[in-house]
């Protein structure tokens, strides 16, 4: 029998529907993989019972002829999504032990679609990080190793590092992620999987612990493009509880998947050609261009002139919003409360926040507080918002001449744990290709395209027009089919 | 112009006043959540996940609250901004779960408008005056700390957390406590007409931040202080009086007024400093990224406008045109309940001027005696209209009407029934009246002599005697005419 944990979401769904295996068998197989992968530290909480219960329902539904779109598919849930009755921490000490009595809209939709939950996935604390090294619950380890004779532990990317590591290691066929400035795409690229951040507003933010509200967007991570389409269909949709939610019908992305790009034009942004970048990245990009041409697309060079301002603008806007969004974690109503002897309210705030937030979270709260302060607001926040508008205009102009944009997802392959932690700026630079699409609210995905000379996966990014997830998925599919990426990490854990 | 002046040692000082009134929007639900808003509920029973700022919760604007703010803006003839935006005002306090208040700093929903306070000589307002309103914005209220529940801890009640407030910011156009008092009363009246705020100051539905400065007449504005959360018209006036005097004394003794926030202590009738500008918060306002800009379309605005009732000024003008005295018009229009009651009375056919007199004297007097108000008046407008109709058509006299009204209050019977049953119809039967007149003149021959000798004041005596003999039921007009004829 095929190893069930090697199956994709579509294969599980279809195989279960066809009676090739039971959902309980699938859940048990993945539960076993999860239980056997403690070394990766991908999960903060494991919920095997949840997965089994959903699987039993799926099997019963199959018998009754009432199958749902994702019946029998167990998934991982990033621990940024509130899950009713299951601890939700955002990988922080602040929310350690916090068990919500409500379910995020996105997770609720997935459960309604028949999914089961294998567990809550580790992440960078409050989704702030690019390597999953800021989690209070420890680093997530990538299943990948460099083929350099060494044994360095590599970063799975971040902030959705638990999701990427778990999928790459076959602990779950798919998982939820959230992307504020690359947190779905970069970890996907680092671990040789696919992930899509849809247009801002496609997925409800209700019940997702907020990092930067104007940028946060949920999306799926999975092994291939089809699975991303299937998952996204079951995560997206208008939600009256989120005022920024898009009131648009959810297209049938899976059904419209097509790798035939005849008549499509692909833009190659010249500003993304960075001086001194890893030649493997450039080579992969060139190979990607050739693949899209092969799929029938025309390729044109485009210019996104304000690209170099995107990263600084992002690291003003996102921390500004975060500094305010995280103000609610004050020890008064839930989560951690640190109440020193004879402490007053201010002392309690100080002690709770000092203890409850990790260094990266504190850094961003301080940056955000600073850029919003009287006297600095215009120089930083207002200026950053102007840059954001210009970046959105860059894309608008570019989409006048092309349908999708192709670029690398990240400027490097996965780096080693600890390699960048001493220098936050070098860490932030890892988001350089991911951040512009976030600022513009555009759909963007990463698909695995090649291995570098060290045997590590590299990802290509496709950025699309607002609401054109289909165009992004189709271009992704064209690359997937031609890249033939089937490498996987050798099991060492 | 107000001639209110503080007499200092160095001469007269003028007071400059601006008010920021916080009015709780009448709505079943909070500004950004579906939680209820009833006053006086058990602590923390009207709190949604949003109001408690649970992780991942998001605000969604409540259309009704927006509508009420727009209607209020229209009622003060203000500019309505089709584009407005919510901003976060960031600060930490235990009664503020989000760690920020959602408000509107940069783009408020309502812009420049004004209202008029009427002249009231007795209150020190020689003439009517327009008071400018700079803006109205909507924002969330905070929760409430309770310090009396535990010896060493404070408790938090979040029932109010997230309740919608309108902040109505006046121009510094007022120059006396009386003007400020009249402004608050007028604003309250308009809000209650519109139905956008119940105006209940005791329950905190309306409270004012009072900005006061002093200057020598004609000088530039002085430095102002702001006294927070003043919750009655009387206190607003007291704060201005006290604060203006304090500032004058301070300046004249060589000190300077510092820009600061003060608190009013009603028990001691004084304000004290809360915090100065130097340690003012940096609120780090920025647009709330959870909310899109608020765009109002023409249909929505049209609905807001057509839903507005007749407002106090228009109603007052209508009453004056109908011959009602300015005093009665003011009394009748001040409270929306009275005005609506009176309008129903007019619709039932009562004549405006006598009806206004009757309501403001007879009805209000009776209600006052009974400790009731119009909302539970024992007499309905239709019943009152019947009574007034009997006077108007000469069936009973005004004097008899008072007695009939008393009987209506006692028995609950209709005026017509009482008049019929008790035989109170006034008579114009000249024969009967002439017979009584003859008797009276005979019995008072000496007075008749005096009258004829020029003591005309005795005419009233004859009228009184005749009316008495007729048990009040004679038509006074007829009595007058017959007496004149008989006495020559």
């Amino acid at each position: 029998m095929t190893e069930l944990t090697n199956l994709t979401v579509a294969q599980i769904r279809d195989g279960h529907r066809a009676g090739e295996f039971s959902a309980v068998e699938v859940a048990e197989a993945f539960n076993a993989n999860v239980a056997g992968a403690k070394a990766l530290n991908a999960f903060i909480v494991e919920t095997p019972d949840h997965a089994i219960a959903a699987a039993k329902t799926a099997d019963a539904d199959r018998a009754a002829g009432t199958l749902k779109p994702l019946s029998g598919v167990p998934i991982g849930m990033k621990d940024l999504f509130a899950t009713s009755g299951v601890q939700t921490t955002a990988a922080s000490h602040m929310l350690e032990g916090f068990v919500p009595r409500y379910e995020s809209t996105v997770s609720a939709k997935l459960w309604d679609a028949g999914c089961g939950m294998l567990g809550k996935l580790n992440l960078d604390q409050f989704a702030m990080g690019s390597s999953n090294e800021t989690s209070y619950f420890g680093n997530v380890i990538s299943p990948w190793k460099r083929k350099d004779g060494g044994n360095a532990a590599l970063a799975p990317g971040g902030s959705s590092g638990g999701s990427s590591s778990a999928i790459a290691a076959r602990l779950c066929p798919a998982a939820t992620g959230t992307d504020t400035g690359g947190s779905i795409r970069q970890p996907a690229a680092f671990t040789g999987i696919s992930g899509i951040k849809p247009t801002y507003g496609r997925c409800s933010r209700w019940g997702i612990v907020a990092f930067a509200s104007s940028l946060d967007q949920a999306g799926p991570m999975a092994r291939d493009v089809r699975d991303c389409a299937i998952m996204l269909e079951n995560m997206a949709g208008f939600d009256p509880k989120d005022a920024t939610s898009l009131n648009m019908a959810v297209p049938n992305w899976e059904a419209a998947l097509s790798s035939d790009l005849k008549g499509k034009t692909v833009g190659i942004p010249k500003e993304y050609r960075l001086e001194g970048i890893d030649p493997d990245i450039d080579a992969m990009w060139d190979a990607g261009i050739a693949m899209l041409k092969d799929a029938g697309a025309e390729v044109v060079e485009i210019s996104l002139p304000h690209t170099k301002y995107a990263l600084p603008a992002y690291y003003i806007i996102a921390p500004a919003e975060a500094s305010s969004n995280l103000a609610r974690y004050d020890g008064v109503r839930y989560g951690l409360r640190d109440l020193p002897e004879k402490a007053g309210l201010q002392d309690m705030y100080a002690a709770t926040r000092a203890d409850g937030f990790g260094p990266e979270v504190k850094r961003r709260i301080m940056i955000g507080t600073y850029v919003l302060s009287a006297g600095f607001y215009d120089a930083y926040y207002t200026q950053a918002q102007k840059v954001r508008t210009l970046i959105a205009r860059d894309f608008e102009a570019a989409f006048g001449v092309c349908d999708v944009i192709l670029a690398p997802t990240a400027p490097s392959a996965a780096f080693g744990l600890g390699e960048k932690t001493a220098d936050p700026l070098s860490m932030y630079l890892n988001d350089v290709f991911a951040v512009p699409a976030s600022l513009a609210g555009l759909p963007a995905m990463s698909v695995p395209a090649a291995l570098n000379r060290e045997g590590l996966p590299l990802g290509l990014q496709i950025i699309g027009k607002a609401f054109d997830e289909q165009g992004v998925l189709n271009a992704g599919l064209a690359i997937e089919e031609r890249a033939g990426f089937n490498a996987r990490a050798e099991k060492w854990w | 112009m107000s001639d209110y002046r503080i007499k200092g040692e160095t001469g007269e000082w003028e007071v400059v006043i601006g008010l920021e009134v916080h009015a709780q929007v009448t709505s079943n639900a909070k500004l950004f959540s579906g939680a209820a808003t009833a006053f006086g509920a058990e602590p923390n029973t009207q709190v949604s996940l949003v109001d408690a700022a649970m992780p991942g919760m998001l605000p969604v604007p409540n259309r009704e609250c927006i509508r009420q703010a727009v209607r209020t803006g229209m009622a003060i003839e203000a500019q309505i901004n089709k584009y407005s935006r919510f901003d976060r005002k960031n600060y930490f306090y235990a009664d503020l779960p989000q760690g920020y208040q959602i408000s509107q700093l940069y783009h408020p929903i309502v812009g420049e408008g004004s209202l008029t306070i009427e002249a009231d000589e007795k209150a020190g307002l020689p003439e009517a005056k327009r008071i400018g309103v700079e803006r109205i914005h909507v924002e969330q209220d905070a929760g409430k700390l309770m310090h009396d529940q535990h010896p060493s801890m404070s408790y938090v009640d979040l029932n109010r957390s997230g309740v919608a407030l309108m902040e109505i910011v006046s121009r510094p156009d007022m120059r006396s406590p009386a003007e400020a008092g009249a402004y608050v009363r007028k604003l309250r009246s308009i809000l209650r007409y519109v139905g956008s705020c119940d105006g209940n100051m005791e329950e905190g539905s309306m409270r004012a931040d009072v900005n006061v400065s002093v200057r020598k007449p004609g000088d530039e504005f002085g430095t102002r202080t702001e006294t927070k959360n003043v919750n009655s018209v009387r206190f607003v006036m007291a704060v201005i009086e006290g604060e203006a005097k304090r500032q004058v004394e301070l300046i004249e003794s060589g000190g300077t007024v510092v820009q600061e926030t003060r608190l009013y202590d009603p028990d001691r009738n004084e304000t004290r400093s809360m915090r100065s500008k130097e340690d003012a918060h940096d609120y780090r306002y920025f647009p709330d990224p959870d909310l899109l800009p608020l765009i109002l379309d023409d249909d929505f605005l049209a609905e807001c406008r057509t839903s507005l009732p007749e407002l106090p000024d228009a109603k007052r003008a209508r009453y004056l045109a109908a011959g009602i005295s300015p005093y009665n018009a003011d009394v009748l229009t001040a409270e929306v309940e009275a005005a609506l009651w009176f309008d129903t009375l007019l619709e039932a056919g009562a004549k405006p001027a006598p009806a206004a007199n009757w309501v403001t004297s007879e009805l209000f007097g009776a209600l006052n005696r009974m400790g009731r108000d119009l909302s539970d008046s024992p007499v309905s407008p239709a019943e009152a209209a019947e009574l007034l109709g009997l006077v108007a058509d000469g069936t009973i006299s005004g004097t008899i009407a008072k007695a009939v009204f008393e009987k209506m209050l006692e028995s609950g019977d209709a005026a017509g029934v009482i008049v019929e049953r008790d035989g109170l119809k006034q008579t114009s039967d000249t024969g009967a009246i002439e017979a009584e007149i003859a008797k009276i003149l005979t019995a008072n021959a000496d007075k008749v002599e005096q009258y004829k000798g020029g003591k005309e004041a005795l005419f009233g005596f004859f009228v009184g005697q005749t009316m008495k003999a007729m048990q009040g039921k004679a038509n006074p007009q007829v009595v007058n005419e017959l007496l004149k004829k008989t006495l020559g």
Side-chain angles (χ1 to χ4, degrees), chain A residues 102 205 207 324-325 333-334 349 374, chain B residues 52-53 55-56 88 90 93 97 282:
Chain A
Y102 52 94
R205 294 184 294 113
S324 178
N325 280 338
R333 297 168 313 287
Y334 51 79
Y349 285 154
Chain B
R88 291 186 184 176
N90 294 283
Y93 203 54
D282 177 354

Side-chain angles (χ1 to χ4, degrees), chain B residues 202-453:
Chain B
E202 291 94 63
E203 291 178 0
S205 298
M206 239 183 107
R207 43 201 205 263
D209 296 345
V210 184
N211 288 281
V212 176
S213 65
V214 297
R215 65 175 175 183
K216 289 285 173 65
D219 278 4
E220 298 286 300
F221 285 152
T223 304
R224 67 187 163 87
T225 63
E226 179 180 30
T227 304
K228 288 274 190 197
N229 279 331
V230 185
N231 67 351
S232 82
V233 173
R234 193 160 59 83
F235 291 162
V236 166
M237 294 170 69
V239 162
I240 294 165
E241 240 171 89
E243 183 54 19
K245 228 159 106 194
R246 187 190 70 83
Q247 292 184 11
V248 167
E249 280 164 13
L250 182 64
I251 296 168
E252 292 193 332
S253 63
T256 43
V257 177
V258 290
Q259 191 174 333
E260 62 181 354
T261 304
R262 300 180 70 83
L263 272 186
Y264 178 63
D265 179 349
D267 296 330
R268 309 173 68 168
N269 188 27
E270 62 183 29
T271 63
R272 60 187 158 77
S273 181
M274 202 167 110
R275 58 171 184 263
S276 72
K277 193 186 174 189
E278 283 69 43
D279 47 41
H281 289 117
D282 177 354
Y283 290 117
R284 290 173 281 118
Y285 277 100
F286 76 111
D288 192 322
D290 283 331
L291 295 162
L292 300 174
L294 202 56
I295 310 288
L296 306 178
D297 62 37
D298 290 333
D299 288 349
F300 178 77
L301 295 180
E303 187 282 322
C304 288
R305 198 170 288 286
T306 52
S307 74
L308 283 182
E310 183 183 37
L311 293 165
D313 287 352
K315 207 178 274 290
R316 186 174 180 277
R318 178 163 62 84
Y319 288 176
L320 292 178
I324 293 171
S325 73
Y327 172 80
N328 279 348
D330 284 344
V331 171
L332 288 170
T333 54
E335 295 288 341
V336 63
E337 291 85 355
L340 293 178
W341 201 96
F342 184 67
D343 279 342
T344 314
L345 180 60
L346 295 183
E347 278 159 26
K351 295 213 164 25
N357 283 331
W358 181 81
V359 169
T360 55
S361 54
E362 298 299 315
L363 178 61
F364 285 177
L367 292 174
N368 219 3
R369 264 195 335 268
M370 294 185 286
R372 299 168 84 157
D373 55 42
L374 265 182
S375 60
D376 59 349
S377 165
V379 176
S380 73
E383 290 162 347
E386 185 187 345
L387 173 65
L388 291 168
L390 292 172
V391 179
D393 69 9
T395 306
I396 57 173
S397 67
T399 318
I400 292 292
K402 287 183 200 206
V404 173
F405 180 50
E406 288 306 321
K407 288 183 182 179
M408 288 168 72
L409 296 176
E410 280 162 27
S411 65
D413 292 335
V417 172
I418 292 167
V419 167
E420 202 60 49
R421 185 182 63 209
D422 297 358
L424 297 175
K425 269 191 191 163
Q426 72 182 0
T427 178
S428 303
D429 177 348
T430 48
I433 297 170
E434 274 170 342
E436 291 300 333
I437 286 176
K439 276 190 237 166
I440 286 160
L441 296 189
T442 310
N444 297 284
D446 52 336
K447 293 211 167 63
V448 174
E449 262 332 288
Q450 289 170 21
Y451 177 82
K452 287 186 170 163

Side-chain angles (χ1 to χ4, degrees), chain A residues 98 102 205-209 213-214 240-244 321 324-325 327-329 333-334 345 349 353 369 372-374 377 381, chain B residues 49 52-61 88 90 92-94 97-100 106 158 282 284-287 289-292:
Chain A
F98 173 69
Y102 52 94
R205 294 184 294 113
W206 195 89
I208 301 174
V209 175
S213 313
S214 74
K241 291 188 287 187
D242 175 358
T244 61
E321 294 181 13
S324 178
N325 280 338
R328 65 186 56 198
Y329 308 108
R333 297 168 313 287
Y334 51 79
L345 183 63
Y349 285 154
R353 294 162 69 79
T369 304
L372 290 177
S373 307
Y377 181 84
Y381 186 78
Chain B
L49 296 168
M54 300 303 282
M57 291 302 103
L58 299 172
V60 176
R88 291 186 184 176
N90 294 283
F92 287 117
Y93 203 54
Q98 293 167 138
Y100 54 84
Y106 298 107
L158 296 180
D282 177 354
R284 290 173 281 118
Y285 277 100
F286 76 111
D290 283 331
L291 295 162
L292 300 174

